[in-house]
């Protein structure tokens, strides 16, 4: 599987926002975002679990986001995430 780069745009409850660049390396179709220093995508914001979200790159080059644990709060475009969700450009 080829590599794939993307950008994540975040905002917290107070409205502060930031961007994080990410890349799936060749042969590694999964990235984990969390507050643990060993997470692939490190995020030290309040409310972020050590292993908070997982991004998977499908063979179709589609990126899917899902919570690592059911109690991890995730939102995409303001809507709560319930189960895995394919991401589209601009999400």
């Amino acid at each position: 599987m080829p590599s794939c780069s993307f950008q994540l745009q975040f905002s917290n409850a107070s409205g502060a926002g930031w961007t994080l660049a990410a890349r799936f390396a060749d042969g590694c179709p999964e990235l984990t975002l969390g507050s643990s220093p060993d997470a692939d995508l490190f995020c030290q914001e309040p409310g972020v679990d050590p292993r908070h979200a997982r991004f998977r790159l499908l063979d179709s080059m589609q990126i899917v986001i899902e919570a690592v644990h059911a109690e991890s709060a995730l939102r995409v475009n303001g809507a709560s995430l319930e189960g895995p969700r394919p991401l589209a450009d601009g999400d």
Side-chain angles (χ1 to χ4, degrees):
M1 181 175 293
S3 64
C4 175
S5 298
F6 61 104
Q7 287 190 348
L8 300 167
Q9 295 182 340
F10 298 94
S11 60
N12 60 21
S14 66
W18 68 97
T19 300
L20 178 66
R23 180 178 175 271
F24 291 100
D26 290 340
C28 185
E30 188 173 294
L31 295 171
T32 302
L33 176 128
S35 60
S36 172
D38 66 339
D40 300 307
L41 306 169
F42 179 67
C43 181
Q44 198 174 11
E45 283 292 310
V48 175
D49 297 326
R51 299 231 175 256
H52 196 83
R54 179 179 301 118
F55 297 88
R56 291 183 294 120
L57 179 62
L58 305 180
D59 289 336
S60 64
M61 301 302 287
Q62 176 74 54
I63 298 172
V64 174
I65 185 174
E66 62 187 322
V68 173
H69 304 287
E71 54 279 343
S72 295
L74 290 177
R75 299 176 83 73
V76 175
N77 298 329
S80 294
L81 190 69
E82 297 185 21
R85 181 187 190 280
L87 295 176
D89 192 26
D91 278 349

